[in-house]
Amino acid sequence: MAEQSANQRFADEATVEPEHISRARAHALELGAAPISATIGAQCAVLAAASQALNIVEIGTGAGVSGLWLLHGAPRATLTTIDKEPEHLGAARQAFAEAKIPPARARFITGRAADVLPRMNEASYDIVLVDADPEGVIEYVEHGLRLVRSGGTVLVPRVMAGGAVADPVKRDAVTTAYRSLIQETQGSPAVIGALSIVGEGLLQLTTVPERD
């Protein structure tokens, strides 16, 4: 446990967050929007860069921090971000403007993800990041897997639920949902899954490309 804590501390200290994202983080914390950590943001940026993402969906805006990280990795991408809190979307708009993100590269949708996602085109996105209500995580991931193209990736931060997932005694609905999501996707032939435990945890699910 001590070694894990030391590794986590080192990773936190070694991660360099761009200044414009740090400013957005400070504003998000003022709003109580609970942004993803810099270590998770950096992982998302690497995955966005590696996939050369051009179309990204973000479920849960979080005042713009995660979106800025994704666009940091994929500077040519267009981001569609969904949140039911107008105040969070407003903060994200401001953060994107201050970061000089062209307006055409960001689409802000106010509404419940459960209402918006069914209307979006399937197999049209490179990355879907799921960071909304944890109670709906399984439903949102199912939508995400429908929305990404063949070989596209669904990212789920906070998947360790603050350490609760690793504790077999914890059996509340949210913890059980995260635990089931991890276990079922790791054994699924439809996706290639990886679980990172750095920061608050990040589940990475890439759909298996169709064979010729």
Side-chain angles (χ1 to χ4, degrees):
M1 185 65 71
E3 180 182 354
Q4 183 175 335
S5 297
N7 290 342
Q8 179 66 63
R9 185 167 57 254
F10 180 83
D12 290 341
E13 293 173 353
T15 301
V16 178
E17 186 165 65
E19 185 178 346
H20 68 283
I21 302 181
S22 293
R23 289 196 300 268
R25 177 180 302 283
H27 195 186
L29 291 172
E30 290 175 1
L31 293 176
I36 62 171
S37 66
T39 51
I40 293 298
Q43 290 182 67
C44 291
V46 167
L47 291 164
S51 63
Q52 298 183 330
L54 293 176
N55 292 291
I56 301 173
V57 174
E58 178 185 48
I59 306 169
T61 304
V65 172
S66 49
L68 288 172
W69 269 115
L70 288 164
L71 291 177
H72 180 64
R76 296 189 299 127
T78 297
L79 174 75
T80 298
T81 184
I82 306 164
D83 204 294
K84 64 182 179 181
E85 298 291 343
E87 188 176 19
H88 293 179
L89 286 165
R93 287 179 186 274
Q94 179 181 340
F96 279 41
E98 292 177 356
K100 295 181 170 53
I101 304 294
R105 286 180 50 212
R107 178 186 178 208
F108 301 89
I109 299 178
T110 305
R112 295 176 62 252
D115 297 329
V116 176
L117 294 172
R119 301 197 299 267
M120 301 183 73
N121 294 330
E122 62 182 52
S124 299
Y125 300 91
D126 302 298
I127 291 177
V128 174
L129 183 138
V130 178
D131 189 26
D133 307 318
E135 294 82 1
V137 65
I138 291 179
E139 178 186 358
Y140 299 150
V141 169
E142 289 174 348
H143 277 298
L145 292 171
R146 178 183 63 83
L147 294 177
V148 293
R149 59 171 173 78
S150 176
T153 298
V154 175
L155 301 174
V156 189
R158 310 182 206 272
V159 74
M160 300 307 293
V165 166
D167 184 350
V169 175
K170 301 290 186 181
R171 297 184 178 275
D172 60 277
V174 170
T175 302
T176 300
Y178 278 128
R179 191 179 290 132
S180 297
L181 177 64
I182 294 168
Q183 293 170 341
E184 291 176 11
T185 53
Q186 292 301 296
S188 171
V191 298
I192 299 170
L195 176 62
S196 169
I197 59 172
V198 173
E200 57 271 45
L202 180 68
L203 181 62
Q204 306 155 58
L205 305 171
T206 297
T207 59
V208 176
E210 297 178 0
R211 297 181 182 275
D212 295 332

